[in-house]
């Protein structure tokens, strides 16, 4: 749902767009031309940066450098990117669709994935309120700590042995 992300970014005040770039990571090359075209049509060509999929160890740097992790997903299998971003201490604004509300709990702001004005408003709130930003970081890290590969393996083993 990059269209909503780009449209919401375009609705931000000029001074905010001058201060913050929209960085897209892991976008399939087959679709990046359409994303660049949309950004260009909206006058954002110099403000939207598209990166190839990054190795996991590099994603941590992107999460730590981001002012906000915006995730307007329409379809999500589990929500691993939001857990990674929360664990890295990045405030999250994500879609209120699919599994995401259950995954993030109170560790993120939840937004209608198609409402670009609501995305803009929430982005501005996080950028302009240090208190909200810090609260989201703290709650996000607490929530992310409830997920781990070790815990996942233990839970799967419990299920496996319970059936045998």
């Amino acid at each position: 749902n990059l269209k909503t992300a780009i449209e919401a970014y375009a609705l931000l005040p000029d001074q905010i767009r001058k201060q913050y770039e929209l960085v897209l990571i892991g976008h399939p090359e087959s679709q990046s031309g359409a994303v660049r075209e949309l950004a260009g049509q909206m006058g954002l060509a110099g403000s939207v940066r598209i990166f190839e999929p990054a190795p996991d160890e590099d994603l941590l740097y992107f999460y730590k450098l981001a002012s906000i992790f915006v995730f307007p997903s329409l379809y999500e299998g589990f929500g691993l990117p939001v857990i990674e971003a929360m664990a890295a201490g990045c405030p999250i604004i994500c879609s209120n669709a699919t599994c995401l509300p259950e995954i993030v709990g109170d560790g993120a702001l939840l937004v209608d994935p198609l409402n670009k004005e609501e995305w803009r408003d929430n982005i501005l709130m996080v950028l302009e309120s240090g208190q909200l930003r810090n609260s989201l970081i703290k709650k996000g890290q607490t929530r992310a700590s409830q997920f781990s590969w070790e815990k996942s393996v233990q839970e799967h083993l419990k299920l496996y042995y319970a059936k045998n």
Side-chain angles (χ1 to χ4, degrees), residues 34-116:
V35 171
R36 281 187 176 85
E37 183 179 331
L38 176 61
Q41 290 170 354
M42 302 191 89
L44 303 172
S47 300
V48 176
R49 300 197 46 194
I50 302 172
F51 290 87
E52 294 297 314
D56 289 343
E57 58 272 9
D58 291 349
L59 281 177
L60 178 63
Y61 295 108
F62 281 104
Y63 292 136
K64 287 192 172 284
L65 291 171
S67 298
I68 303 171
F69 182 72
V70 176
F71 200 63
S73 181
L74 293 169
Y75 311 102
E76 196 57 40
F78 179 72
L80 194 56
V82 292
I83 295 172
E84 292 171 340
M86 287 189 300
C90 188
I92 310 294
I93 304 172
C94 72
S95 170
N96 64 6
T98 68
C99 65
L100 292 170
E102 182 181 352
I103 297 298
V104 300
D106 68 348
L109 296 179
L110 298 171
V111 179
D112 176 336
L114 298 175
N115 187 329
K116 60 189 174 198

